[in-house]
Amino acid sequence: MLNNIGLPGLLLIAVVVLVLFGKGKVSSLMGEVGKGITAFKKGVNDGSKELEDAKVDAAKDVTPAEKDKA
């Protein structure tokens, strides 16, 4: 459905949004979207790092447990 928009369609949508909301609103909205994307990427990277750290911690101790000799 949206694969036939093309460049003229995107430009028309951008102009309509700019006219409806004004330059200041669109600018602040895009700033918030950018902050949200940055926060999302940071969260994904932190989650990936946490999983990698858990794998490393699990792989560190590979020695078998010693049994008490009585």
Side-chain angles (χ1 to χ4, degrees), residues 36-58:
I37 290 171
T38 302
F40 177 76
K41 285 182 180 179
K42 185 177 185 279
V44 168
N45 288 337
D46 289 348
S48 297
K49 184 170 175 20
E50 190 174 307
L51 289 174
E52 289 296 322
D53 290 345
K55 286 181 183 178
V56 168
D57 288 342

Side-chain angles (χ1 to χ4, degrees), residues 3-70:
N3 56 357
N4 294 334
I5 291 178
L7 185 60
L10 290 176
L11 289 175
L12 179 64
I13 291 171
V15 168
V16 169
V17 168
L18 188 61
V19 167
L20 288 177
F21 296 109
K23 182 180 176 184
K25 255 321 188 194
V26 172
S27 170
S28 66
L29 179 65
M30 290 299 113
E32 292 298 321
V33 168
K35 288 178 186 176
I37 290 171
T38 302
F40 177 76
K41 285 182 180 179
K42 185 177 185 279
V44 168
N45 288 337
D46 289 348
S48 297
K49 184 170 175 20
E50 190 174 307
L51 289 174
E52 289 296 322
D53 290 345
K55 286 181 183 178
V56 168
D57 288 342
K60 280 183 183 177
D61 189 19
V62 294
T63 58
E66 289 188 31
K67 296 181 180 178
D68 292 331
K69 295 179 181 178

